[in-house]
Amino acid sequence: MGQFLLEDSARGKTLRVEGGLTIEHACSLKEILIEALEHTDHLEIDMRHITSVDLACLQVLCSAYKTFTESHKH
């Protein structure tokens, strides 16, 4: 089961991801990344506790990176 926690950090926000990061979690991941984009200029993603990942979530992460970059955010 994937769990997402968006926290304030010294530089902006940190998204902590735990558990599985699979297609079942892609929509939730996208929603929390959109929320982060709206509320911070700097996002770090802590993926140390991921147990699995698949292509669907990797595509969401790549898209988020592109969107942050185009918005001049880190």
Side-chain angles (χ1 to χ4, degrees), residues 2-68:
Q3 179 180 357
F4 309 107
L5 182 59
L6 191 59
E7 305 172 314
D8 292 327
S9 67
R11 294 171 40 167
K13 299 253 184 219
T14 298
L15 174 59
R16 209 166 8 134
V17 183
E18 298 178 356
L21 196 54
T22 57
I23 194 164
E24 295 86 8
H25 308 104
C27 287
S28 297
L29 177 61
K30 179 182 175 183
E31 290 172 6
I32 201 159
L33 289 168
I34 290 170
E35 178 183 341
L37 178 67
E38 294 172 354
H39 293 101
T40 191
D41 290 333
H42 185 94
L43 177 67
E44 293 181 8
I45 302 176
D46 178 356
M47 299 175 72
R48 291 177 286 174
H49 301 286
I50 289 179
T51 57
S52 61
V53 65
D54 70 11
L55 186 56
C57 287
L58 289 176
Q59 288 174 321
V60 171
L61 290 169
C62 288
S63 178
Y65 174 79
K66 182 178 178 184
T67 301
F68 264 75

